[in-house]
């Protein structure tokens, strides 16, 4: 349902990092951003959502499996190129009072909601937009 | 008798001498008028030529005077232009109409007033061309600025179409999936652990 709204241009989905579990969380976040430099942001997102290897070697191995430039990926990780970006998103989430994950917001309104409530809220908002023309 | 003949001879001689003198006088009188007439003719010719030259001189003098007057009039045009209600670049003809001044400092302000004539007018044309060039350059700069903005927007739109997974076919730019201008924005704050 949400995918259909995104396909039709009614909605878009954004992901923002929260670091609640220390270095493994930070490594996963930095690896995802470094993968994004080579067009593999969502590959790393789905990878970390489906497995529990949060090591540096595991991230480099996954980059190699995607045929990415592993040297560039390694340098991106070691330089902590996106540390400021990730920490900024985390600080923003904490400032909004989001200390539990996952937290979903729609148009920067509301707080933590479950999937069913999210779908219902999005559909209601889409219906309002359709009526407005 | 002889004395009478002598007296008669003397008288005749005197008469002859008188006649001769008279003839001589007559002949001299007739030549003088001729000479005077010729001299008069010559003098008249000389006078005519002199008069003609003088007349020519007077005509040329008059022409020079008229040219000088015209120059003075032209020289006085800027003053006349500045005086009265005439605007710069125009001459007040006195009948309420204003005509473009020739060689004045009038700057072209539009087609209604006509192009200025003379050196300053050419300078005005040059300024107008320069102004047009400046306007074209300004437009070119504005267009280049718009192009730069469009380039930045295009760079912001750079992303990829996800090829696999349940988001296959969706446009993605790093952490965003979907149309960047979509009215509904769903944001997930999450940790991968």
């Amino acid at each position: 349902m949400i995918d259909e709204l995104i396909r039709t241009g009614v909605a878009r989905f954004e992901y923002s990092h929260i670091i609640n579990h220390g270095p493994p969380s930070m490594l996963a976040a930095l690896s995802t951003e470094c993968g994004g430099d080579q067009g593999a942001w969502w590959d790393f997102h789905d990878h970390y959502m489906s497995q529990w290897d949060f090591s540096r070697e595991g991230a480099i191995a996954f980059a190699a499996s995607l045929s990415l430039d592993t040297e560039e990926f390694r340098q991106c990780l070691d330089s902590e190129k996106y540390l400021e970006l990730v920490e900024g998103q985390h600080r923003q989430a904490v400032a909004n009072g989001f200390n539990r994950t996952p937290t979903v917001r729609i148009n920067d309104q509301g707080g933590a909601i479950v999937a069913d409530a999210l779908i219902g809220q999005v559909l209601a908002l889409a219906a309002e937009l359709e009526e407005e023309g | 008798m002889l004395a009478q003949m002598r007296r008669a001879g003397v008288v005749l001689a005197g008469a002859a001498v008188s006649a001769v003198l008279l003839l001589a006088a007559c002949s001299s009188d007739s030549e003088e008028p001729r000479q005077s007439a010729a001299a008069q003719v010559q003098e008249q010719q000389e006078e005519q030529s002199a008069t003609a030259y003088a007349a020519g001189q007077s005509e040329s003098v008059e022409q020079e005077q008229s040219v000088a007057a015209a120059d003075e009039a032209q020289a006085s045009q800027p003053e006349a232009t500045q005086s009265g209600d005439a605007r710069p670049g125009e001459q007040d003809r006195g009948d309420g109409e204003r005509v473009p001044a020739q060689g004045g400092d009038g700057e072209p302000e539009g087609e209604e007033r006509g192009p200025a004539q003379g050196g300053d007018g050419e300078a005005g044309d040059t300024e107008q061309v320069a102004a047009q060039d400046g306007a074209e350059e300004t437009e070119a700069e504005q267009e280049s600025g718009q192009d730069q903005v469009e380039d930045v927007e295009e760079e912001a739109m750079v992303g990829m179409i996800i090829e696999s997974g349940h988001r296959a076919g969706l446009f993605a730019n790093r952490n965003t999936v979907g149309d960047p201008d979509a009215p509904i924005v769903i944001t997930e704050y999450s940790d991968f652990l």
Side-chain angles (χ1 to χ4, degrees):
Chain A
M1 184 68 70
I2 299 297
D3 285 352
E4 185 62 24
L5 293 175
I6 293 174
R7 287 181 199 282
T8 55
V10 176
R12 75 170 186 269
F13 182 83
E14 295 182 358
Y15 184 94
S16 187
H17 296 289
I18 287 182
I19 309 301
N20 280 346
H21 299 282
S25 294
M26 180 58 76
L27 177 70
L30 293 177
S31 297
T32 302
E33 295 299 333
C34 288
D37 281 354
Q38 301 184 53
W41 198 98
W42 288 99
D43 293 305
F44 274 87
H45 171 275
D46 295 347
H47 172 70
Y48 286 121
M49 286 297 185
S50 61
Q51 60 86 44
W52 290 91
D53 181 2
F54 295 98
S55 67
R56 180 177 178 273
E57 289 73 19
I60 294 172
F62 183 67
S65 72
L66 296 174
S67 302
L68 303 184
D69 184 338
T70 54
E71 182 60 27
E72 179 184 343
F73 182 81
R74 193 191 314 270
Q75 290 178 0
C76 179
L77 273 183
D78 294 343
S79 66
E80 297 182 334
K81 178 180 178 181
Y82 290 102
L83 179 63
E84 185 176 350
L85 171 69
V86 172
E87 288 182 343
Q89 292 180 355
H90 175 76
R91 285 195 298 270
Q92 183 65 42
V94 172
N96 289 334
F98 305 151
N99 53 9
R100 293 185 303 172
T101 60
T103 296
V104 177
R105 293 188 84 185
I106 300 173
N107 287 350
D108 290 332
Q109 296 177 353
I113 53 177
V114 297
D116 291 343
L118 169 66
I119 292 172
Q121 190 170 341
V122 169
L123 291 177
L125 188 55
E128 290 179 5
L129 292 172
E130 188 174 359
E131 288 178 359
E132 291 175 359
Chain B
M1 185 70 173
L2 286 174
Q4 290 180 351
M5 290 179 63
R6 287 180 178 176
R7 289 178 184 176
V10 170
V11 170
L12 289 173
V17 169
S18 298
V20 169
L21 291 175
L22 182 61
L23 288 174
C26 289
S27 64
S28 63
D29 290 340
S30 65
E31 287 179 1
E32 284 179 358
R34 290 177 185 172
Q35 289 178 353
S36 64
Q40 284 180 355
V41 170
Q42 187 175 1
E43 286 177 359
Q44 285 179 355
Q45 289 177 350
E46 289 176 357
E47 286 178 359
Q48 285 179 354
S49 61
T51 304
Y53 175 73
Q57 275 190 332
S58 64
E59 286 179 0
S60 62
V61 167
E62 288 177 358
Q63 288 177 353
E64 288 178 357
Q65 288 177 349
S66 61
V67 169
D71 291 340
E72 289 179 359
Q74 282 188 342
S76 63
Q77 278 180 355
E79 296 177 356
T81 300
Q82 292 177 357
S83 64
D85 295 332
R87 292 180 294 182
E90 293 180 341
Q91 278 184 297
D92 197 338
R93 290 168 55 181
D95 54 359
E97 292 184 9
R98 291 168 181 166
V99 297
Q102 295 181 357
D105 294 331
E107 295 180 0
E109 296 180 0
E111 294 180 355
E112 293 181 356
R113 297 177 60 181
Q117 296 180 2
D120 292 340
E122 293 176 357
D125 292 341
T126 306
E127 291 176 357
Q128 188 176 14
V129 170
Q132 289 178 352
D133 292 341
E136 291 176 355
E137 290 178 357
T138 304
E139 291 177 358
E141 289 177 356
Q142 290 178 348
E143 289 178 356
S144 64
Q146 291 177 351
D147 292 340
Q148 289 178 353
V149 172
E150 291 177 356
D151 291 341
V152 171
E153 291 178 352
E154 289 179 357
E155 288 178 0
M157 289 287 292
V158 170
M160 57 177 291
I161 302 297
I162 298 176
E163 296 178 352
S164 60
H166 67 278
R167 303 184 197 88
L170 294 178
F171 174 80
N173 182 16
R174 298 189 71 89
N175 65 328
T176 301
V177 176
D179 187 351
D181 296 325
I184 297 175
V185 180
I186 303 168
T187 306
E188 178 185 354
Y189 298 87
S190 184
D191 189 331
F192 289 123
L193 270 71

